[in-house]
Amino acid sequence: MGTALFDPPIRPRSAVHDLLRQVRYFAKLSPDAIDALAVAANRLSYAAGMAVFLEGEPTAGLFVLEEGVVKISRVTVEGREHILHLVGPGDTFNHVSAMDGGPNPATAVAYTAIVTWRIDRSDLHRIALRYPALVWALVEDLAARARYLVGVVEDLSMRSVRGRLARLLLEEVEGTEQRTVPRMMTQEDMAARLGTVREMVGRTLRSMAASGLIEFDRHRIVILDPQRLAEEAEV
């Protein structure tokens, strides 16, 4: 795993309790179970671009992200990257290997500077034996992620690149009052998330702009017609 290259402000140990409570599937755990997870967690920081762990390495444990964005991706034998997920604060990652003990199924890279907490698999297993509710919480989360992956497969098999791109743009502004896609997402990142190439993304964005769906504001993408864009995203 990578080594921290910057020192985030020191926060009291109790802060991890609040962070764990933000995790959706930990919310119903007892205070004692949260305490046990908090004691087992270790705080780590990584500069942007650093690898948190690599695909195929022994399990790195379960991570809970405090600050920043983490990119979860896999690379094909041809060297092409496919972004599986972008993880934000209050979310967790590396569930599969933390639960089955196998190697990390993907690579995690700090997309921005990040602060994260890591719980070793051995500690997670010990705590789960003591607090069975944690087992069910982890199962529910894995089921939700499996459902998400079903949607990813549907996207790749049933939507055109234009439809997938329309859906991605809408997802990036979902839950906000803004219609501007974050600047940190490049066309190369979009292509990696959509299972295509940067040139195709560029052509499709220009076509959408010509159709009045979006416009370019310097290096940002502004959604002009979310309703029509949603129609483009439908299967």
Side-chain angles (χ1 to χ4, degrees):
M1 292 185 293
T3 304
L5 288 184
F6 76 105
D7 295 317
I10 297 175
R11 297 181 64 187
R13 185 76 187 182
S14 60
V16 70
H17 289 77
D18 298 333
L19 178 64
L20 290 170
R21 283 293 182 195
Q22 292 176 32
V23 177
R24 177 183 53 79
Y25 61 96
F26 284 166
K28 295 181 181 179
L29 294 180
S30 68
D32 287 344
I34 292 292
D35 286 343
L37 290 169
V39 169
N42 295 301
R43 194 170 189 247
L44 305 168
S45 58
Y46 298 85
M50 290 193 64
V52 181
F53 55 78
L54 299 177
E55 177 185 346
E57 288 184 340
T59 180
L62 181 69
F63 291 79
V64 186
L65 189 61
E66 179 182 323
E67 296 177 8
V69 178
V70 171
K71 177 178 68 174
I72 309 296
S73 65
R74 299 191 69 170
V75 178
T76 67
V77 293
E78 294 84 10
R80 195 164 121 193
E81 182 185 43
H82 181 66
I83 298 176
L84 302 174
H85 188 44
L86 292 178
V87 181
D91 202 356
T92 55
F93 57 100
N94 208 40
H95 307 69
V96 174
S97 69
M99 291 188 69
D100 72 5
N104 302 319
T107 292
V109 174
Y111 197 61
T112 66
I114 67 164
V115 178
T116 188
W117 295 79
R118 177 170 61 87
I119 303 172
D120 287 338
R121 181 177 186 268
S122 58
D123 290 323
L124 188 66
H125 182 257
R126 172 178 53 81
I127 297 168
L129 291 177
R130 186 173 180 183
Y131 301 100
L134 174 59
V135 178
W136 188 247
L138 291 168
V139 169
E140 284 188 330
D141 183 66
L142 280 175
R145 291 173 191 274
R147 188 180 296 275
Y148 165 78
L149 290 176
V150 169
V152 172
V153 172
E154 179 187 66
D155 263 359
L156 293 173
S157 62
M158 301 181 66
R159 286 187 174 89
S160 64
V161 171
R162 186 180 178 96
R164 299 202 299 273
L165 181 56
R167 184 175 182 180
L168 176 61
L169 295 177
L170 291 171
E171 286 176 348
E172 286 300 305
V173 299
E174 187 177 7
T176 72
E177 296 181 357
Q178 303 296 322
R179 291 188 178 182
T180 303
V181 177
R183 289 187 62 181
M184 66 179 181
M185 178 172 288
T186 66
Q187 290 186 18
E188 187 172 354
D189 293 332
M190 292 180 186
R193 291 183 67 178
L194 298 174
T196 185
V197 295
R198 182 176 59 82
E199 291 77 12
M200 177 63 75
V201 170
R203 288 198 297 271
T204 306
L205 286 172
R206 291 191 293 272
S207 174
M208 287 180 169
S211 301
L213 299 175
I214 63 172
E215 71 175 2
F216 300 104
D217 179 11
R218 296 182 180 178
H219 297 293
R220 299 180 302 173
I221 299 172
V222 180
I223 296 176
L224 299 178
D225 194 334
Q227 180 60 43
R228 286 175 58 206
L229 201 61
E231 293 172 0
E232 294 272 3
E234 291 180 356
V235 175

